[in-house]
Amino acid sequence: MEASRRFHPFMMVFEMGRLIKNSLFFFVFLFIIKGGSDSWMFFYGRYALVGLFIFSLISIPIKWKSRTYTLEEKTLQITRRYLTTTKQTVPYSKVQHVKRKNTWLHRMFRVTSLTLETSVQGEESSIKFPALDVSEADKIERKIEHKKGEQPSSEFHPPASESAEEGMNVLGETTKIDTDEVDGEKVDRAVHFTSSKKEIIKASFTSFSFLAIIPLGASLLSKMEDFHWESKTEGVLSTILDSVLLTVFAVTVFILAAVVLGIGRTIVKYGKYEIASDPDKIYITKGFVDESYFSITKEKVQAVLIEQTFMKRLMGLAGVKLICAGGSEEDTDVSSLYPFLSVDRAHLLIEELLPGYKVQGHMERLPKQAFWVRLLRVSWLGIISTVILFFVKPDPFGFESFWVMASVLLFVFIGVSRILNYYHSKYVMDESAIQFQFGGFTSHLFLTKREKLLEVMVSRNLFQKKLGLASVNMVNRENPVRHTSMDDVPNAWASEFYEWYRKRENKIRGENKRRAL
Amino acid sequence: MQTIISSPTKQLSKDSVKVWVISETLINVTGFILLGVLFFLDSHYSWYGWATWLLIALTILSVSGTVWSFFKAVLLYKHWRYDVNEEFLQLKSGALHEEHQLIPMTKIQSVSTHQGPLLRKYQLYSIKIHTMGSIHVIPALPEAVAFELRNQIATYAKVEEE
């Protein structure tokens, strides 16, 4: 057993920063915007705000003093002796994944933040260390891995800049082997991917980041126009000439600025990207300004999702996401592998990172009957929208039957999306893994293993029964769970799927036996 | 085609039909009383024309719903099947929309029995099975069967799996 420790004192700095950030708005509101108001609400509000602020400020060091953590053999214990005493025990085995985030402030003080995500629901689902020495963070991470002696080299590696210059890694090869020598032990850590210049440019085109400038440019242009109209004294010709020149100039500047800004934004977001792994874990590091880091044990990956928006499909790119249990909704992008990989590379990357996962090239298509079932299925979205349009009857372009057009367009859109969905929908399963592809304008490829499925369901409605079709649904752990379904597969395949899942028993039984011994 | 998936065999209590019919009737009677009040108010205060039409439409829906509810209770009972063994809980339900569910015992988090006033009248219990992401309910089982099943599931589900 180890001694309990306080959190890193810099925690207080970050807490203070957060307090200031959170209360700034109220200060501005009460003291500046409503500064002149004598209304009792604002008058007492100001006192209350200052009081609250001072109270929070004082409570920060007390909080720090009262909060300790202990790294036990198998559990992490966090004790808070504030007004009430809370003792939280987290078994390392229940930690689903680990995140770090380094802002410039962290880097200045050479500390890191660490978040341990468990699959518990509610407030206590994640354990946050706002500041930690990097070595201490590594130590905690190593504990979680159950391997005290080994050094997993889970340091916050900035991606090597040379490899970023060199460009994309050769397909299918892990080009660089990092051999870290820490604590006198060598551990292999293979870097699978670093983002190259070419990819950044592709990424910035695909994500339409150039469009970010439009609101900015539009206001600029309108200002220029205002300026231009003031010089009315000049001749008409010169006005037009001026205007043409000015327009050309403005457009050029606009486009240049758009490109620079767009690429800049993309670089900041996706520039320093590194995906690495060792035999047990996957590491994702990214970000220029705020570095973020994500690590997960390979066996804790619940499923893999390859996502292709319409634009990405045109460019032959795809985004890969690791589905993992726990974590909150808003930071799902943390667990995504690079969102702009070429499709082949994405498939290879999955195989490299996750043993046992392999994207099957050949997949079954839906039967022909499914096409009509899907196309003719009642679209509630369409019907409800049409009803609303009928009653509201908006006519933004001044002609009355606009609502008919809008409704027709909506149905066409839904129809096209369904037709695309039919052609995208494919499925395949093998001994231990299953793979679904689905989606209309944005298509998804979902891969998971039988042992990761929580439960399955096969269902048939009246039409499906007549046509010999069925829907299958499977549940994976996520936050808390993720349902994935495939509608209108042949009946026989649905039964096969059901029986396939039933066969998981053999494996479990073996495990239980082992456990019992 | 129906028999490709090996169906579970155990059925609910026959009294479940009565329970469903009674509860549906209670709900429907309340609905009709409410409709009657609305009709009265409608004629008394002479509401807009569309309100009357809406009420008529609601009445038609309610009447057909009431007739359907009797069939539904019978169909539900006829098509409800469950089974449990060491590895899986298997549920099958639905006549028009048929559902087969397969839940591994190791993924079950908790199991409990419940009894409302109607179920108590017929000495029935419903069983709720919580898994990580959903709740499955076996609606109406005789007391002895329900308790046995609950304990059985609890025993099977005890087996740990990470």
Side-chain angles (χ1 to χ4, degrees):
Chain A
M1 182 183 155
E2 294 201 26
S4 59
R5 296 159 182 256
R6 296 247 151 74
F7 281 49
H8 196 287
F10 274 120
M11 173 191 160
M12 291 187 279
V13 178
F14 290 108
E15 292 271 301
M16 245 175 258
R18 218 178 54 185
L19 176 66
I20 291 168
K21 211 167 93 186
N22 288 345
S23 55
L24 196 66
F25 166 77
F26 295 100
F27 273 104
V28 168
F29 182 73
L30 285 175
F31 285 92
I32 297 172
I33 297 175
K34 295 284 175 189
S37 172
D38 284 332
S39 155
W40 64 270
M41 228 169 75
F42 299 119
F43 183 76
Y44 290 108
R46 283 192 274 267
Y47 283 102
L49 181 65
V50 171
L52 210 68
F53 185 79
I54 291 170
F55 174 75
S56 307
L57 207 62
I58 293 169
S59 73
I60 287 173
I62 297 173
K63 239 192 216 166
W64 173 74
K65 210 167 174 320
S66 64
R67 193 178 297 186
T68 57
Y69 67 93
T70 318
L71 294 168
E72 302 270 0
E73 189 62 32
K74 289 206 161 121
T75 57
L76 168 72
Q77 295 211 2
I78 293 183
T79 315
R80 299 183 190 89
R81 281 181 229 282
Y82 211 24
L83 294 174
T84 53
T85 299
T86 337
K87 203 163 184 177
Q88 193 183 358
T89 305
V90 183
Y92 296 131
S93 60
K94 298 290 174 193
V95 173
Q96 296 292 326
H97 57 262
V98 177
K99 286 185 297 197
R100 295 189 201 181
K101 201 163 181 156
N102 286 3
T103 59
W104 56 271
L105 205 60
H106 282 102
R107 269 182 286 168
M108 219 160 77
F109 292 115
R110 297 190 174 279
V111 289
T112 182
S113 80
L114 187 74
T115 308
L116 312 178
E117 293 286 359
T118 65
S119 55
V120 177
Q121 292 301 296
E123 253 180 65
E124 302 203 320
S125 69
S126 56
I127 294 107
K128 288 196 179 89
F129 296 91
L132 271 180
D133 280 327
V134 176
S135 62
E136 182 69 10
D138 286 346
K139 195 172 143 197
I140 294 174
E141 249 192 89
R142 239 171 302 152
K143 279 273 188 190
I144 290 162
E145 271 184 277
H146 289 292
K147 279 184 274 167
K148 278 181 290 155
E150 258 176 78
Q151 164 67 42
S153 85
S154 51
E155 262 171 77
F156 208 137
H157 279 273
S161 55
E162 327 88 71
S163 71
E165 295 289 315
E166 274 162 23
M168 198 168 118
N169 291 335
V170 183
L171 279 184
E173 274 179 49
T174 51
T175 47
K176 207 166 127 265
I177 304 290
D178 260 5
T179 316
D180 290 313
E181 208 159 336
V182 194
D183 296 344
E185 275 181 73
K186 281 188 176 182
V187 170
D188 288 339
R189 182 161 164 278
V191 176
H192 298 270
F193 173 84
T194 49
S195 50
S196 68
K197 275 183 196 155
K198 205 173 106 197
E199 266 156 348
I200 297 282
I201 289 167
K202 260 198 203 168
S204 39
F205 270 105
T206 320
S207 63
F208 286 114
S209 62
F210 303 142
L211 300 183
I213 202 183
I214 282 186
L216 212 131
S219 72
L220 208 78
L221 270 181
S222 79
K223 280 212 180 83
M224 275 183 169
E225 227 150 67
D226 286 349
F227 174 73
H228 170 73
W229 283 117
E230 276 169 24
S231 51
K232 263 185 184 166
T233 43
E234 289 180 39
V236 182
L237 191 75
S238 76
T239 311
I240 292 169
L241 204 71
D242 254 13
S243 159
V244 168
L245 269 175
L246 209 72
T247 314
V248 168
F249 177 72
V251 165
T252 317
V253 168
F254 179 77
I255 290 171
L256 273 176
V259 170
V260 169
L261 213 83
I263 293 179
R265 226 180 65 128
T266 317
I267 287 175
V268 167
K269 216 170 160 192
Y270 302 111
K272 237 169 150 189
Y273 219 102
E274 188 192 88
I275 301 167
S277 78
D278 60 25
D280 302 314
K281 293 176 86 179
I282 299 170
Y283 310 91
I284 305 169
T285 322
K286 63 184 152 191
F288 252 104
V289 185
D290 288 354
E291 283 179 323
S292 78
Y293 159 98
F294 169 89
S295 85
I296 186 166
T297 314
K298 285 179 184 181
E299 59 191 52
K300 292 259 157 91
V301 173
Q302 304 295 326
V304 181
L305 183 71
I306 304 177
E307 207 174 26
Q308 272 190 305
T309 58
F310 194 67
M311 194 62 200
K312 280 188 194 168
R313 208 160 43 240
L314 289 182
M315 305 277 288
L317 299 177
V320 182
K321 235 189 207 166
L322 304 177
I323 307 290
C324 43
S328 51
E329 206 60 61
E330 75 253 28
D331 54 29
T332 45
D333 65 315
V334 180
S335 60
S336 86
L337 303 181
Y338 197 68
F340 305 100
L341 289 163
S342 75
V343 176
D344 293 338
R345 184 81 191 100
H347 291 185
L348 272 167
L349 197 61
I350 290 168
E351 280 173 42
E352 283 171 19
L353 290 175
L354 296 160
Y357 280 92
K358 183 172 171 24
V359 180
Q360 299 279 341
H362 178 76
M363 299 176 77
E364 303 287 333
R365 281 181 176 282
L366 291 180
K368 283 210 179 63
Q369 305 97 294
F371 180 82
W372 295 107
V373 175
R374 287 182 161 213
L375 195 63
L376 299 177
R377 193 164 282 160
V378 177
S379 164
W380 293 109
L381 176 73
I383 289 170
I384 291 168
S385 310
T386 304
V387 169
I388 292 172
L389 279 168
F390 176 76
F391 280 108
V392 178
K393 283 208 177 86
D395 54 343
F397 307 113
F399 66 104
E400 263 174 52
S401 51
F402 173 77
W403 70 274
V404 180
M405 289 244 319
S407 166
V408 167
L409 271 177
L410 182 68
F411 273 105
V412 167
F413 182 80
I414 292 169
V416 170
S417 166
R418 283 179 176 184
I419 291 169
L420 280 175
N421 200 340
Y422 171 76
Y423 285 108
H424 285 156
S425 291
K426 289 175 189 176
Y427 54 92
V428 73
M429 68 186 177
D430 64 18
E431 201 48 49
S432 64
I434 189 157
Q435 182 177 326
F436 283 172
Q437 184 181 298
F438 51 90
F441 287 100
T442 296
S443 70
H444 303 265
L445 187 68
F446 185 84
L447 279 94
T448 191
K449 287 182 165 181
R450 182 165 60 188
E451 74 232 36
K452 296 293 179 199
L453 292 178
L454 293 181
E455 54 186 85
V456 302
M457 180 171 90
V458 172
S459 67
R460 275 191 286 257
N461 64 29
L462 220 50
F463 297 106
Q464 287 178 323
K465 276 189 199 171
K466 286 265 182 306
L467 294 165
L469 301 173
S471 297
V472 299
N473 180 287
M474 53 192 194
V475 185
N476 281 88
R477 289 179 75 179
E478 195 188 18
N479 176 33
V481 292
R482 179 190 193 94
H483 287 265
T484 313
S485 46
M486 190 56 134
D487 291 335
D488 312 315
V489 297
N491 223 334
W493 193 82
S495 313
E496 210 182 298
F497 167 78
Y498 197 81
E499 293 307 321
W500 170 80
Y501 189 61
R502 200 202 290 275
K503 284 195 202 107
R504 93 197 277 286
E505 60 189 341
N506 306 328
K507 199 167 175 185
I508 305 301
R509 203 187 263 154
E511 246 171 64
N512 288 336
K513 264 188 200 150
R514 233 189 309 141
R515 227 163 262 267
L517 286 174
Chain B
M1 282 305 238
Q2 309 270 16
T3 48
I4 295 177
I5 290 178
S6 60
S7 286
T9 48
K10 290 179 183 149
Q11 277 193 290
L12 302 177
S13 157
K14 260 202 175 122
D15 289 333
S16 60
V17 180
K18 289 182 211 158
V19 172
W20 283 324
V21 168
I22 293 171
S23 75
E24 287 280 339
T25 311
L26 282 176
I27 293 168
N28 287 328
V29 166
T30 327
F32 280 121
I33 291 171
L34 206 72
L35 270 176
V37 171
L38 285 173
F39 265 116
F40 170 75
L41 291 174
D42 178 37
S43 66
H44 200 263
Y45 293 101
S46 52
W47 285 350
Y48 294 108
W50 60 264
T52 318
W53 285 110
L54 193 71
L55 284 178
I56 290 169
L58 275 177
T59 313
I60 293 168
L61 279 178
S62 311
V63 170
S64 44
T66 309
V67 175
W68 168 239
S69 71
F70 295 113
F71 289 103
K72 199 173 113 189
V74 176
L75 282 175
L76 254 179
Y77 167 73
K78 256 182 93 176
H79 287 87
W80 237 107
R81 296 283 190 286
Y82 71 92
D83 220 334
V84 60
N85 61 29
E86 269 178 58
E87 282 97 19
F88 289 103
L89 169 70
Q90 217 178 331
L91 304 174
K92 182 201 160 204
S93 66
L96 303 180
H97 188 257
E98 186 185 293
E99 287 184 355
H100 296 259
Q101 315 212 44
L102 193 57
I103 303 131
M105 280 296 159
T106 48
K107 302 295 183 195
I108 290 171
Q109 308 274 309
S110 73
V111 56
S112 54
T113 45
H114 297 262
Q115 193 180 47
L118 273 176
L119 286 175
R120 187 166 306 149
K121 187 167 182 291
Y122 293 95
Q123 284 164 353
L124 299 176
Y125 280 88
S126 68
I127 295 190
K128 272 189 190 163
I129 298 131
H130 291 250
T131 60
M132 218 166 276
S134 53
I135 303 169
H136 302 281
V137 183
I138 303 177
L141 292 175
E143 189 172 326
V145 179
F147 286 176
E148 204 208 315
L149 182 64
R150 183 192 64 190
N151 296 341
Q152 213 173 5
I153 292 175
T155 317
Y156 292 154
K158 219 187 277 169
V159 200
E160 183 83 34
E161 182 211 22
E162 175 50 354

